[in-house]
Amino acid sequence: MAAVLEGQEPEETAAAAEDAATSTLEAVDAGPGAPFLPAGNQLNLDLRPGGCHRLQYLCSQQPPQLLQVEFLRLSTHEDPQLLDDTLAKVPWSLLRLRSLVLKGGQSRGALGACLHGTLTTLPAGLSDLACLAHLDLSFNRLETLPTCVPELHGLDALLLSHNHLSELPEALGALPALTFLTVTHNRLERLPLTLGSLSTLQRLDLSENLLDTIPSEIGNLRSLSELNLASNRLQSLPASLAGLQSLRLLVLHSNLLTSVPTGLVDLPLITRLDLRDNQLRDLPAELLDAPFVRLQGNPLGEASLAPPSPPDISQVPEMPRLLLTSDLDSFLVTPHGCSVTLACGVRLQFPAGATTTPVTIHYRLWLPEPGLVSLGPHDFLLSSVLELQPHGVAFQQDVSLWLLFVPPRVRRCREVVVRTRSNNTWNDLETQLEEEAPKRLWARCQVPHFSWFLVVLRPVSNTCLLPPEGALLCSSGHPGVRVTFPPGVTEEPRQVSMQVVHMAGLELRTLLEESEASVSPLLCLSQSGPPSFLQPVTVQLPLPPGVTGFSLDRSHLHLLYRTPLTTTWDDITTQVALEFTHLYARFQVTHFSWYWLWYTTKTCVGGLARKAWERLRLHRVNLIALQRRRDPEQVLLQCLPRNKVDATLSRLLVRYRGPEPSETVEMFEGEKFFAAFERGIDVDADRPDCVDGRICFVFYSHLKNVKEVYVTTALDREAQDVRGQVSFYRGSLPVEVPEEAEAARQKKGTDALWMATLPIKLPRLRGAQGSGQGTDFSLMPLNLGDAETGFLTQSNLLSVASRLGPDWPVVALHLGMPYHKLQRIRHEFRDDLDGQVRHMLFSWAERQTGQPGAVGHLVQALEQSDRRDVAEEVRAILELGRHKYQDSIRRTGLAPEDSTLPGTSASQTPESAQA
């Protein structure tokens, strides 16, 4: 049988019987006007809505087939009263029932999370099911175990995962035939003493609960071979565990254990003892040297040192709370703990005792780009990249991290996770979602140490630790997708994962121009360890929609395989032995990759699959270029998904004007592109994201992909308008881009360099309007700020002044200028708007010379005045100056090389930006 899987719900023990049955897994249609009738000994009513109504009708009609049913599956996503009434009829109509599956989890919420069913109890009459051996109540809302369950004395397997159980009744010990019990992902705080009476119990999974103690009676489970107590709050274990002579697998990771019974190493059959991520400091040499023991994540090696004394929490009246402003990039954490909100919206909570000595934490928010972001082929990025330093410092207790992210559009079978970099690899953390307000979502996770973090939307991933004894891995998003691992498939335990991606049938038929074409879900299988298995692994995929095992034309069915690390799809139909049931196809493989079932009359399906796979990952977007109405030199560039264009333009056209958006183009998630100004238009400022006058972008479908730049021209604007353009090109910046790009425009598609060109017009200057600084204007030189945080020079301030225009009085008030001084400036420069702005800004700057935080005050005032465009320009100037300063002191040997993100060069700079 399959091993108890860490963090996963084990499949019901009746799975083997289902696979071996000759009858089909699905009910068949009895004709017009009749509900579905059972086929053979199985009745599946959980694949379509209205299962309760169908079962009630069958119970009222009592067809002969109903008496033969031994396996019943019924969804609990029904009205609670209807569900209770339906279940009350089961004991009278299904006398031979051996397996009853009443699971929720088939439906998913907007963010991809499994929804629990409505089941809160069971009718007492179910205790009359004398033949019942398998009961699955997973993914429901049970707070107490129904009283009828302990009365099912023939029960062999009981699955209670993903409920709200806080305790189990003592009556549970009255199940003499029980061999398998899983109660993962509940709220158990204690266990019944009668648990030790289950003399036949072989597998027990109590992971992901709130247990802090285990009763010593557990040592009476002489038949127990697998025990999973991971992710609880256990601080110690009873010595009686050493008496479990049949135990092969003991999983205790992610607890608070400081010691374990020494007798565990003497268990005669033990093959794996998982003690990772505990508080173990001193272990017997037998355990340290045992090859089957896993000890990563424990503070071992400190046996000769006394453990650090925990802080005196009683002396701390309340956890300190810190709210950092935009000019701070570090904070101090003491052993008393603290709650921190960063200026970028990130929140952290350090529990008391997380550190034994004060630690200074530094943070940066990086703009995402492919070198910094690790995404799978079907992943979407939802946030910028957060870096927390010092890297790798382990905390005594896990630190809570909240990342604000862009709410994803509703997508089937997807989930939001926090991804982090550790030991040069990216891993996904267990993530909970919290909604603070509409369209304001947080991804919350526990982090053991600091590194880089980002929020990702990925296809739902089902993962398990595969033991040598074999296992069964099923998709939670599509119950028909499963992988069966036989015994002996691997010598050492290895991690295996599956993801399932769906493709819309209409989109496929449009691509193939074939009305009958259809495909199965796309299956991605991955693993750790050696590339191949020792035994063939059986994969089950549902047949494409509209195709059944009875009506199947095998010449039209193709099994496709994607070669690893390439985009090539190969047709391997003739290389494997395909077996068919009414709804499923099964085949065997020895290594993992991507698999896809196609039903089509086309030939050369591999090339079509590559195009379809690209279509799954492409986004249809439009490019826009708008100029600010009051300042045409300010240009907004943005790449938008097609469905967001109208709403975005209606909001922007109040302050901007410009041409219609470009034609629709297609882009991949994380694809690089750039904007080049042409026909006499140039970028007016030195920016970190500007190379030779070209603005670099990276497209992420759920981020804004927007930049505002200031442009200028060397042409004579006093004589006529300057009519230029901005063109968008794919890829990184090439050495040369044709000025007109006419040759590139002759080709369109994802392989073409050119994507779009939009006009930009700088209106003719009339007289002295907008001519910049007057010749009679002079001010004393100044540098606002400091070398480490960045300077604003006189030239920089003049550039800022030229952007403010009529908004300067609002900025002045936010800078703290009294209203009567503002009125005096208006009077002295009553016919000179530029003079008003410059006098206000420089008179304020001269008073700030030598004052800390002046630049941050200016940025804040600009944002409060709704001039975020100018604030972003100031930030870019500061970042560029800071980077040049660091380079200069590095060249002179005054400072060590600064750390950069993996995959980046020293020329890449971080920017504080929000998605």
Side-chain angles (χ1 to χ4, degrees):
M1 295 298 293
V4 178
L5 307 181
E6 296 180 48
Q8 297 291 326
E9 178 190 0
E11 183 67 17
E12 54 267 26
T13 55
E18 291 185 32
D19 291 343
T22 57
S23 60
T24 63
L25 293 176
E26 180 66 52
V28 296
D29 196 346
F36 280 35
L37 295 176
N41 63 349
Q42 301 179 32
L43 180 57
N44 288 355
L45 298 175
D46 61 339
L47 300 180
R48 305 189 184 191
C52 283
H53 289 294
R54 290 190 176 94
L55 184 56
Q56 285 195 6
Y57 181 86
L58 290 173
C59 291
S60 65
Q61 297 297 313
Q62 287 294 316
Q65 298 96 320
L66 196 61
L67 298 177
Q68 306 301 320
V69 171
E70 297 180 4
F71 302 91
L72 172 64
R73 299 179 67 98
L74 186 64
S75 172
T76 57
H77 294 287
E78 300 274 5
D79 176 74
Q81 186 59 49
L82 175 63
L83 184 62
D84 188 67
D85 294 342
T86 304
L87 293 176
K89 301 179 185 298
V90 169
W92 305 99
S93 305
L94 303 172
L95 302 179
R96 298 184 182 181
L97 199 62
R98 293 174 49 205
S99 173
L100 178 59
V101 178
L102 302 173
K103 289 178 61 174
Q106 293 94 346
S107 300
R108 291 185 172 269
L111 300 178
C114 292
L115 300 180
H116 287 230
T118 61
L119 188 69
T120 58
T121 187
L122 291 176
L126 286 184
S127 61
D128 295 332
L129 295 172
C131 299
L132 194 66
H134 170 261
L135 179 60
D136 188 349
L137 305 176
S138 305
F139 279 100
N140 283 295
R141 302 181 184 179
L142 299 176
E143 296 183 359
T144 58
L145 190 67
T147 56
C148 65
V149 174
E151 299 177 10
L152 296 167
H153 299 302
L155 208 57
D156 175 78
L158 177 59
L159 293 85
L160 301 169
S161 299
H162 294 275
N163 277 283
H164 303 156
L165 297 170
S166 59
E167 62 178 2
L168 295 174
E170 296 289 343
L172 189 67
L175 294 175
L178 195 66
T179 64
F180 176 65
L181 174 62
T182 174
V183 203
T184 68
H185 291 86
N186 276 275
R187 304 170 184 174
L188 294 180
E189 298 180 0
R190 68 178 187 86
L191 296 175
L193 301 181
T194 57
L195 188 66
S197 303
L198 301 174
S199 58
T200 60
L201 193 63
Q202 298 176 16
R203 294 189 292 157
L204 176 60
D205 192 347
L206 299 169
S207 59
E208 301 288 347
N209 279 287
L210 306 176
L211 298 171
D212 52 16
T213 59
I214 299 295
S216 59
E217 286 77 5
I218 198 172
N220 298 329
L221 300 175
R222 301 300 180 183
S223 302
L224 195 66
S225 62
E226 299 174 5
L227 176 59
N228 192 339
L229 296 169
S231 301
N232 279 282
R233 300 177 179 179
L234 300 175
Q235 301 182 33
S236 61
L237 297 172
S240 60
L241 279 181
L244 298 176
Q245 298 299 304
S246 301
L247 199 62
R248 296 177 179 271
L249 175 67
L250 179 56
V251 182
L252 296 166
H253 72 75
S254 306
N255 278 286
L256 303 174
L257 296 173
T258 57
S259 63
V260 295
T262 56
L264 293 181
V265 74
D266 298 323
L267 291 173
L269 302 179
I270 191 76
T271 60
R272 180 164 162 255
L273 174 57
D274 192 342
L275 296 170
R276 293 173 298 161
D277 299 317
N278 278 281
Q279 301 298 318
L280 299 172
R281 295 180 179 274
D282 188 10
L283 285 177
E286 296 85 353
L287 281 176
L288 289 173
D289 299 335
F292 56 82
V293 180
R294 295 191 169 191
L295 295 170
Q296 294 92 336
N298 285 284
L300 296 171
E302 304 176 11
S304 60
L305 302 176
S309 301
D312 187 0
I313 307 303
S314 62
Q315 301 300 319
V316 184
E318 185 178 358
M319 177 180 289
R321 297 180 180 272
L322 304 178
L323 180 61
L324 302 189
T325 56
S326 58
D327 57 341
L328 296 176
D329 62 357
S330 64
F331 55 92
L332 183 68
V333 178
T334 68
H336 298 313
C338 63
S339 176
V340 184
T341 301
L342 307 182
C344 56
V346 175
R347 299 188 310 194
L348 299 106
Q349 188 171 61
F350 298 82
T355 64
T356 57
T357 58
V359 177
T360 299
I361 306 297
H362 297 266
Y363 78 92
R364 275 182 173 179
L365 204 63
W366 296 74
L367 285 176
E369 61 171 271
L372 316 181
V373 175
S374 173
L375 293 179
H378 298 279
D379 294 345
F380 302 133
L381 183 66
L382 302 182
S383 73
S384 297
V385 182
L386 173 69
E387 181 186 10
L388 295 172
Q389 293 182 330
H391 293 173
V393 173
F395 296 100
Q396 303 300 314
Q397 299 183 46
D398 284 349
V399 175
S400 297
L401 172 65
W402 286 265
L403 291 173
L404 191 65
F405 66 94
V406 180
R409 298 185 295 276
V410 177
R411 290 183 177 272
R412 183 182 179 189
C413 298
R414 291 190 174 270
E415 60 189 356
V416 175
V417 295
V418 174
R419 186 162 293 172
T420 183
R421 183 179 173 86
S422 179
N423 297 326
N424 295 323
T425 60
W426 289 90
N427 302 298
D428 292 343
L429 302 176
E430 185 173 346
T431 306
Q432 292 82 39
L433 302 184
E434 299 180 2
E435 184 173 2
E436 185 176 90
K439 297 185 179 181
R440 187 175 178 86
L441 295 175
W442 298 89
R444 179 178 181 271
C445 61
Q446 303 290 324
V447 295
H449 56 81
F450 279 169
S451 181
W452 292 275
F453 302 91
L454 55 139
V455 184
V456 173
L457 180 70
R458 71 176 187 187
V460 171
S461 180
N462 296 104
T463 304
C464 75
L465 189 66
L466 174 63
E469 295 81 11
L472 178 66
L473 180 62
C474 298
S475 168
S476 59
H478 198 301
V481 179
R482 61 174 61 179
V483 182
T484 305
F485 301 90
V489 71
T490 179
E491 292 181 348
E492 296 292 333
R494 65 175 77 178
Q495 202 83 8
V496 292
S497 302
M498 76 159 55
Q499 289 183 327
V500 179
V501 180
H502 296 262
M503 182 172 189
L506 178 61
E507 193 170 13
L508 175 73
R509 290 189 288 271
T510 302
L511 176 67
L512 300 183
E513 298 180 350
E514 182 182 354
S515 60
E516 301 300 324
S518 61
V519 295
S520 73
L522 172 61
L523 174 62
C524 172
L525 297 173
S526 59
Q527 59 159 329
S528 62
S532 299
F533 293 102
L534 301 179
Q535 300 286 339
V537 175
T538 302
V539 179
Q540 175 177 293
L541 277 176
L543 291 171
V547 180
T548 68
F550 299 146
S551 63
L552 176 66
D553 183 347
R554 294 200 176 199
S555 65
H556 295 167
L557 188 71
H558 304 269
L559 177 60
L560 300 175
Y561 163 83
R562 179 188 162 217
T563 307
L565 304 179
T566 70
T567 59
T568 303
W569 287 85
D570 296 325
D571 190 342
I572 60 171
T573 312
T574 59
Q575 303 173 28
V576 299
L578 282 170
E579 299 178 0
F580 300 99
T581 66
H582 181 51
L583 293 179
Y584 301 104
R586 296 190 182 114
F587 54 93
Q588 291 188 329
V589 298
T590 56
H591 56 277
F592 277 175
S593 186
W594 296 71
Y595 298 95
W596 211 354
L597 275 176
W598 277 51
Y599 193 79
T600 175
T601 58
K602 303 286 186 179
T603 57
C604 302
V605 184
L608 297 174
R610 182 182 62 82
K611 293 181 180 179
W613 189 55
E614 283 187 356
R615 181 65 57 86
L616 273 174
R617 300 180 295 123
L618 282 172
H619 300 270
R620 294 175 174 85
V621 302
N622 298 96
L623 299 152
I624 62 174
L626 303 176
Q627 294 174 265
R628 196 176 181 93
R629 293 179 180 272
R630 290 189 297 186
D631 186 1
E633 296 177 357
Q634 180 186 346
V635 180
L636 180 145
L637 306 174
Q638 190 167 11
C639 178
L640 285 166
R642 187 172 58 181
N643 63 323
K644 293 185 177 180
V645 172
D646 292 340
T648 302
L649 286 179
S650 65
R651 185 178 67 253
L652 290 176
L653 290 179
V654 176
R655 293 178 297 157
Y656 296 84
R657 68 177 65 182
E660 291 293 319
S662 72
E663 294 182 2
T664 299
V665 296
E666 295 179 331
M667 300 190 71
F668 293 104
E669 185 83 1
E671 182 176 352
K672 290 184 177 181
F673 67 103
F674 65 93
F677 288 93
E678 301 165 343
R679 294 188 178 181
I681 304 291
D682 298 301
V683 179
D684 188 27
D686 194 3
R687 303 165 51 105
D689 59 353
C690 180
V691 180
D692 296 331
R694 303 162 189 164
I695 306 298
C696 309
F697 288 82
V698 183
F699 172 73
Y700 292 105
S701 58
H702 287 72
L703 303 187
K704 289 185 177 180
N705 308 299
V706 61
K707 294 187 179 182
E708 291 190 78
V709 299
Y710 287 93
V711 297
T712 186
T713 180
L715 303 178
D716 184 7
R717 291 179 60 187
E718 294 186 0
Q720 61 182 0
D721 298 342
V722 176
R723 298 182 180 273
Q725 64 188 28
V726 57
S727 294
F728 296 88
Y729 302 89
R730 297 183 189 275
S732 303
L733 291 172
V735 177
E736 294 183 0
V737 175
E739 180 71 15
E740 302 299 332
E742 294 296 341
R745 292 178 202 153
Q746 296 177 4
K747 180 181 178 183
K748 293 186 178 180
T750 57
D751 297 330
L753 175 66
W754 174 84
M755 292 191 295
T757 295
L758 298 172
I760 298 291
K761 184 181 77 170
L762 295 180
R764 183 167 68 95
L765 298 178
R766 303 182 184 277
Q769 178 185 354
S771 59
Q773 304 89 274
T775 56
D776 58 343
F777 182 77
S778 62
L779 287 169
M780 61 178 295
L782 57 85
N783 282 325
L784 196 62
D786 57 74
E788 291 190 3
T789 60
F791 281 117
L792 287 183
T793 64
Q794 181 182 13
S795 176
N796 298 143
L797 287 177
L798 286 172
S799 177
V800 171
S802 67
R803 312 300 186 201
L804 293 182
D807 293 332
W808 76 266
V810 182
V811 177
L813 293 174
H814 282 117
L815 286 173
M817 179 172 289
Y819 187 73
H820 67 274
K821 289 188 177 180
L822 187 149
Q823 291 291 79
R824 184 181 303 167
I825 294 174
R826 279 176 168 166
H827 178 73
E828 292 179 357
F829 298 88
R830 51 186 174 272
D831 296 324
D832 184 4
L833 176 61
D834 290 336
Q836 294 174 4
V837 182
R838 291 194 298 268
H839 188 85
M840 178 276 297
L841 194 57
F842 275 84
S843 62
W844 170 83
E846 289 170 2
R847 294 194 302 270
Q848 304 301 316
T849 303
Q851 299 294 323
V855 176
H857 189 194
L858 176 60
V859 172
Q860 185 179 14
L862 291 169
E863 290 180 335
Q864 292 172 341
S865 307
D866 198 26
R867 290 308 303 266
R868 293 181 177 83
D869 54 309
V870 185
E872 289 300 324
E873 181 182 0
V874 173
R875 285 197 182 96
I877 293 171
L878 293 174
E879 186 60 47
L880 187 64
R882 183 160 51 240
H883 186 64
K884 291 179 178 178
Y885 170 76
Q886 292 171 351
D887 284 346
S888 66
I889 63 174
R890 192 178 298 125
R891 285 194 300 270
T892 58
L894 298 179
E897 287 288 332
D898 192 14
S899 61
T900 57
L901 278 174
T904 66
S905 63
S907 64
Q908 293 168 326
T909 60
E911 290 188 30
S912 296
Q914 296 188 27

